């Protein structure tokens, strides 16, 4: 029996020492009574260090407390531990202070000296770390797929879908349940399904990654372009399925379509231009890299002949007299980074000389390096021919104008001589009539009755009127020949001076003269004084029959001009006769009522016209008249 016991103890020792798991024994108080080598390896304590120590020295207090209540307390109270295989996971403390994860399995053992608990402890720290890492990885994958901006899917090798993320369902318009299995095909646009399936099968057959662009058609009819990428999943070097992504490329597709449409419009526009578009290098040969179709209609050569100088250079068709000039001008514009514009002749393929207009610019990189030149060229031969004709006509016209001017100058001199001659010839008999009539009144008055005296006075008055009329006619005719002397005019000072010159002491008592602040103007001072003389003089004359006369001089300003006016409350006139107002010898009132020759307003009109201005009037019979005039050079009063 002793031999068998010794042999059994030896076997037990071999087993406990070679075990990979820690084997411990606990007495009724929870103190350690046995500690194998694996326990030393796991916890770092030797058997001598742990003998008699309580189990709580190995466990974190909260873990030990949990053990007491869940398992060990039952063992201590009844001697019956949990069944074998009932494993408790705990956190344990090693000698070096580190914390490890363990699995503890307890069973009871009755020995002669008492009841013991046998514990099997396995270090599961690495397994727990792996489990935590796997859990974190799974959680990370779950989080990423939930918030991913791209759709994510997982399928079997036959195309049966086992997973899609929320972004995938958002792009497709299908629910998660509808997308699983083969239901995902319902989201694919009907026109793209067959091609997508064929592409998928082809990629699967050669066991390679799959790539495709196709459309989803949502239940509401909205279409979304997606780009699908999938890579194979393997198990034991056998492909079991694919995991892939879907990226929304709708905006890219729309941009591509817009670009294609823009290119079509550009091509249509270029083809309809009255010329051709080019791109070339900045070299003396103007090496062309692009020419639109209009090149042949202008040069007679198809664009391919110039591209990269295959048969001839563009410089070859520029007229030799202009080649150096064009090169130098281009270089100057490029240095200044300005648009190039030039007109020059070219030699057409048929040998004719044609004129072209070119406009272009340099295309520069961000670092300032010149990349190439771009521009367009149009045929202006017809315009040049028309310009040449116009130039010839202008030269002929200028000569005709010179000839006519000489003739007019001669005629004006003759008219001036004639005017002075007529004036002299008319004045002589008028002076004779006036002189003889006055002699008769003075020397033969006693011999004349009242009627004779009246008739002589009529002769004298009419002779004087004729004199005034001759003076006004001469003044009117001289206006067209009088030299202009432009200067700044104080219009307010001039108007006031003219009024003071014209008004008599008797007139002052009945006239209320209102002169506003009016702006300066530019013009001929002597001519403008004549304007004020006639307008203010008329106002005084035509208000002479009013017991209370009002003459107002002022200004009306608009956004573009200043309008001078002279207003009175005199006899006025009928607006139906306004067309006669500024004509020579046209009178709207009887000479019995108001004296005058009918030339004054015609003179005013001529002066305003010579200043490139305008004049007009408004009137009401017996209520007054207002004369307005505008000078283009009116300025604000300083």
């Amino acid at each position: 029996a002793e031999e068998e016991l010794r042999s059994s103890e030896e076997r037990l020792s071999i087993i406990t020492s070679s075990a990979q798991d820690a084997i411990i024994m606990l007495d009724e108080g929870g103190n350690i009574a046995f500690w194998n080598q694996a326990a030393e390896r796991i916890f770092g304590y030797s058997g001598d260090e742990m003998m008699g120590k309580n189990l709580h020295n190995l466990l974190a207090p909260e873990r030990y407390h949990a053990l007491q209540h869940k398992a060990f307390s039952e063992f201590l109270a009844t001697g019956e531990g949990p069944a074998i295989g009932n494993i408790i996971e705990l956190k344990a403390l090693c000698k070096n202070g580190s914390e490890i994860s363990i699995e503890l399995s307890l069973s009871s053992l009755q020995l002669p000296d008492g009841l013991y608990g046998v514990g099997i402890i396995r270090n599961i720290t690495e397994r727990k770390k792996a489990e935590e890492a796997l859990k974190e990885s799974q959680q990370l994958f779950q989080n990423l797929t939930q918030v991913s901006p791209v759709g994510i899917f997982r399928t079997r090798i036959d195309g049966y879908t086992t997973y899609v993320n929320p972004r995938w369902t958002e792009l497709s318009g299908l629910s998660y349940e509808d997308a699983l299995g083969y239901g995902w095909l319902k989201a694919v646009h009907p026109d793209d399904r067959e091609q997508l399936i064929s592409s998928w099968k082809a990629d699967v057959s050669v066991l390679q990654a799959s790539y495709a662009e196709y459309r989803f058609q949502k239940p509401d009819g909205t279409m979304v372009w997606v780009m699908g990428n999938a890579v194979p999943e393997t198990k034991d070097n056998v492909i079991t399925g694919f995991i892939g992504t879907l990226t929304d490329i709708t905006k890219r597709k729309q941009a591509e379509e817009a670009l294609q449409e823009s290119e079509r419009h550009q091509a249509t526009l270029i083809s309809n231009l009255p010329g051709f578009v080019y791109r070339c290098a900045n070299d003396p040969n103007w090496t062309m890299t692009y020419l639109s179709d209009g090149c042949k209609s202008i040069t007679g050569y198809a664009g391919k002949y110039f591209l990269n100088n295959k048969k001839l250079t563009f410089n070859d068709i520029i007229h030799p007299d202009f080649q150096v000039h064009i090169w130098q001008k281009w270089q100057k514009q490029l240095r200044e980074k300005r648009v190039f514009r030039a007109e020059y002749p070219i030699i057409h393929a048929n040998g004719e000389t044609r004129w072209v207009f070119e406009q272009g610019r340099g295309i520069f990189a961000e670092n300032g390096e010149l990349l190439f030149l771009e521009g367009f060229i149009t045929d202006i031969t017809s315009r040049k021919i028309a310009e040449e004709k116009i130039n010839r006509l202008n030269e002929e016209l200028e000569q005709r104008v010179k000839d006519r001017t000489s003739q007019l100058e001669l005629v004006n001199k003759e008219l001036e001589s004639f005017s002075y001659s007529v004036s002299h010839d008319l004045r002589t008999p008028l002076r004779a009539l006036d002189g003889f009539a006055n002699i008769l009144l003075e020397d033969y008055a006693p011999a004349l009755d009242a009627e004779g005296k009246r008739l002589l006075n009529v002769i004298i008055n009419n002779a004087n009127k004729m004199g005034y009329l001759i003076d006004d006619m001469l003044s009117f005719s001289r206006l067209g020949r009088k030299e202009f002397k432009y200067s700044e005019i104080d219009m307010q000072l001039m108007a006031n001076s003219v009024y003071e010159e014209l008004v008599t002491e008797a007139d002052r008592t009945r006239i209320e003269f209102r002169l506003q602040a009016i702006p300066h103007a530019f013009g001929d001072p002597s001519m403008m004084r004549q304007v004020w003389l006639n307008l203010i003089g008329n106002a005084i004359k035509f208000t002479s029959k009013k017991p209370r006369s009002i003459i107002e001089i002022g200004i009306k300003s608009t956004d573009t001009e200043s309008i001078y006016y002279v207003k009175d409350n005199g006899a006025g006139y009928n607006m139906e006769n306004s067309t006669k107002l500024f004509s020579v010898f046209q009178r709207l009132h009887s000479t019995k009522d108001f004296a005058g020759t009918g030339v004054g307003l015609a003179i005013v009109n001529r002066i305003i016209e010579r200043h490139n201005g305008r004049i007009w009037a408004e009137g009401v019979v017996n209520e007054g008249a207002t004369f307005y005039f505008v000078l283009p050079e009116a300025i604000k009063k300083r």
Side-chain angles (χ1 to χ4, degrees):
E2 291 176 352
E3 288 284 341
E4 288 179 358
L5 177 61
R6 190 166 43 252
S7 176
S8 175
E9 289 177 345
E10 289 177 354
R11 289 196 297 274
L12 179 61
S13 176
I14 292 171
I15 292 171
T16 58
S17 62
S18 61
Q20 296 298 313
D21 295 331
I23 300 174
I24 63 173
M25 289 180 62
L26 304 172
D27 62 17
E28 293 181 0
N31 300 315
I32 295 173
F34 179 78
W35 188 260
N36 74 338
Q37 294 178 357
E40 292 182 4
R41 235 179 10 257
I42 292 172
F43 294 100
Y45 294 104
S46 65
D48 293 337
E49 291 176 309
M50 293 304 297
M51 286 300 156
K53 300 288 179 65
N54 198 277
L55 181 63
H56 71 78
N57 290 313
L58 289 178
L59 304 178
E62 66 275 8
R63 301 296 182 184
Y64 182 66
H65 180 74
L67 175 65
Q68 282 183 317
H69 285 81
K70 291 183 179 179
F72 199 59
S73 58
E74 180 184 351
F75 168 72
L76 293 175
T78 65
E80 297 179 358
I84 296 175
N86 187 5
I87 299 172
I88 304 172
E89 291 188 0
L90 299 168
K91 291 287 186 179
L93 299 174
C94 298
K95 183 178 181 180
N96 61 8
S98 61
E99 187 177 84
I100 61 174
S101 298
I102 62 172
E103 284 181 348
L104 172 62
S105 175
L106 280 175
S107 62
S108 62
L109 176 65
Q110 183 66 50
L111 294 177
D113 57 347
L115 182 66
Y116 289 88
V118 178
I120 307 297
I121 299 175
R122 175 170 293 176
N123 186 355
I124 60 171
T125 303
E126 294 303 320
R127 192 193 80 192
K128 293 298 286 185
K129 287 181 179 179
E131 288 176 353
E132 287 294 329
L134 177 61
K135 184 178 180 181
E136 288 180 4
S137 176
Q138 290 174 337
Q139 186 62 45
L140 177 63
F141 175 79
Q142 183 70 18
N143 291 340
L144 288 176
T145 58
Q146 291 296 312
V147 301
S148 174
V150 298
I152 299 174
F153 62 90
R154 191 176 190 182
T155 69
R156 297 190 318 216
I157 195 168
D158 60 354
Y160 186 94
T161 297
T162 58
Y163 173 79
V164 292
N165 73 333
R167 178 58 175 163
W168 194 100
T169 61
E170 181 184 344
L171 290 173
S172 67
L174 297 180
S175 66
Y176 178 82
E177 293 75 14
D178 290 339
L180 298 181
Y182 296 107
W184 65 274
L185 270 173
K186 292 184 295 184
V188 178
H189 193 283
D191 296 342
D192 297 346
R193 289 176 189 169
E194 184 177 348
Q195 181 180 357
L196 178 61
I197 293 172
S198 299
S199 174
W200 175 272
K201 289 180 178 179
D203 292 335
V204 169
S205 65
V206 294
L207 303 180
Q208 68 178 16
S210 177
Y211 166 85
E213 292 182 0
Y214 52 94
R215 292 168 292 176
F216 275 152
Q217 186 172 16
K218 294 184 177 183
D220 62 1
T222 306
M223 284 198 296
V224 179
W225 273 96
V226 295
M227 177 178 67
N229 290 283
V231 293
E233 288 188 293
T234 60
K235 184 177 182 179
D236 299 330
N237 294 325
V238 177
I239 294 179
T240 58
F242 288 83
I243 186 168
T245 61
L246 285 183
T247 303
D248 187 349
I249 59 170
T250 304
K251 291 185 177 179
R252 193 199 82 190
K253 283 291 187 179
Q254 291 172 345
E256 289 175 354
E257 291 177 2
L259 177 60
Q260 292 172 358
E261 185 66 19
S262 175
E263 289 175 346
R264 284 195 295 270
H265 287 167
Q266 184 177 2
T268 302
L269 177 63
I270 290 175
S271 64
N272 289 313
L273 282 175
F276 64 92
V277 178
Y278 69 85
R279 178 182 294 161
C280 71
N282 183 39
D283 58 44
N285 289 324
W286 308 117
T287 302
M288 296 288 171
T289 56
Y290 172 78
L291 284 166
S292 63
D293 296 338
C295 177
K296 186 172 183 180
S297 63
I298 293 179
T299 67
Y301 298 98
K304 63 182 180 181
Y305 292 112
F306 295 111
L307 293 179
N308 298 311
N309 301 334
K310 289 182 179 178
K311 291 192 176 182
L312 73 163
T313 71
F314 193 80
N315 192 58
D316 292 335
I317 68 169
I318 297 176
H319 195 283
D321 295 344
F322 284 78
Q323 291 176 356
V324 174
H325 168 71
I326 295 299
W327 170 257
Q328 292 176 346
K329 185 172 182 179
W330 252 116
Q331 303 318 300
K332 180 177 183 297
Q333 302 301 82
L334 288 173
R335 287 193 298 271
E336 298 173 358
K337 292 188 176 180
R338 294 171 58 189
V339 174
F340 171 84
R341 294 184 181 89
E343 296 178 1
Y344 56 88
I346 63 170
I347 308 301
H348 192 269
N350 61 12
E352 295 178 356
T353 298
R354 293 191 178 181
W355 279 86
V356 297
F357 169 77
E358 179 181 350
Q359 178 171 308
R361 63 189 179 98
I363 305 300
F364 296 87
E366 291 184 0
N367 61 4
E369 178 188 0
L370 177 64
L371 302 176
F372 45 81
L373 312 180
E374 282 186 343
F376 68 92
I377 294 175
T378 58
D379 190 332
I380 59 170
T381 305
S382 299
R383 197 196 81 194
K384 280 292 186 179
I385 293 173
E387 287 178 356
E388 187 177 348
K389 290 180 180 179
I390 291 172
N391 290 335
R392 286 199 302 268
L393 289 173
N394 285 338
E395 290 174 0
E396 294 175 2
L397 182 59
E398 287 177 5
Q399 187 59 46
R400 290 180 183 177
V401 170
K402 288 179 181 179
D403 295 341
R404 291 292 177 87
T405 302
S406 298
Q407 294 173 6
L408 287 173
E409 289 176 353
L410 180 60
V411 170
N412 282 335
K413 289 180 181 179
E414 292 176 351
L415 284 174
E416 188 173 356
S417 298
F418 175 75
S419 296
Y420 280 108
S421 175
V422 169
S423 173
H424 180 270
D425 291 345
L426 287 176
R427 286 182 190 278
T428 299
L430 284 176
R431 281 195 295 268
L433 285 173
D434 181 67
F436 288 128
N438 279 292
I439 290 171
L440 287 173
L441 283 175
E442 292 175 3
D443 295 346
Y444 299 96
L448 296 173
D449 58 8
E451 180 62 17
K453 292 177 182 179
R454 186 186 70 79
L455 293 175
L456 284 175
N457 283 319
V458 170
I459 292 172
I460 293 170
N461 289 334
N462 279 286
N464 290 331
K465 288 180 182 179
M466 180 63 77
Y468 295 143
L469 185 58
I470 291 171
D471 290 339
D472 287 346
M473 286 177 62
L474 286 174
S475 297
F476 186 77
S477 65
R478 287 169 184 163
L479 282 175
R481 301 188 303 274
K482 187 176 180 180
E483 182 182 356
F484 248 64
K485 294 181 180 179
Y486 267 103
S487 65
E488 185 177 344
I489 304 170
D490 187 334
M491 299 289 273
Q492 185 174 351
L493 180 62
M494 181 178 284
N496 189 66
S497 173
V498 168
Y499 174 75
E500 292 296 331
E501 177 184 333
L502 295 176
V503 72
T504 65
E505 289 301 322
D507 290 333
R508 290 181 188 276
T509 60
R510 66 174 183 83
I511 295 177
E512 180 182 345
F513 184 60
R514 302 172 182 173
L515 177 58
Q516 298 180 10
I518 57 178
H520 291 205
F522 279 110
D524 185 296
S526 64
M527 290 188 182
M528 289 310 303
R529 184 174 182 80
Q530 185 65 45
V531 170
W532 288 117
L533 281 168
N534 285 349
L535 293 180
I536 295 175
N538 279 354
I540 294 173
K541 177 172 64 175
F542 288 106
T543 60
S544 60
K545 298 184 182 300
K546 292 282 186 176
R548 182 65 177 169
S549 301
I550 300 175
I551 299 175
E552 180 181 333
I553 296 175
I555 192 78
K556 289 185 177 180
S557 297
T558 67
D559 294 337
T560 58
E561 59 187 6
S562 296
I563 304 171
Y564 299 91
Y565 68 84
V566 178
K567 181 178 181 181
D568 65 64
N569 66 336
Y573 68 93
N574 190 335
M575 289 291 288
E576 293 180 359
N577 300 321
S578 59
T579 55
K580 303 177 182 180
L581 200 60
F582 297 102
S583 301
V584 180
F585 306 133
Q586 296 292 331
R587 293 178 51 84
L588 303 184
H589 301 86
S590 170
T591 55
K592 294 179 180 180
D593 296 327
F594 301 101
T597 61
V599 181
L601 288 179
I603 292 175
V604 170
N605 184 54
R606 177 66 65 87
I607 292 173
I608 298 299
E609 285 181 348
R610 288 207 62 187
H611 282 76
N612 295 320
R614 309 191 319 276
I615 185 168
W616 67 98
E618 296 174 354
V620 178
V621 176
N622 294 323
E623 292 185 15
T626 305
F627 287 82
Y628 302 93
F629 65 91
V630 175
L631 298 178
E633 298 294 340
I635 61 174
K636 290 184 178 179
K637 183 178 181 181
R638 295 180 179 176

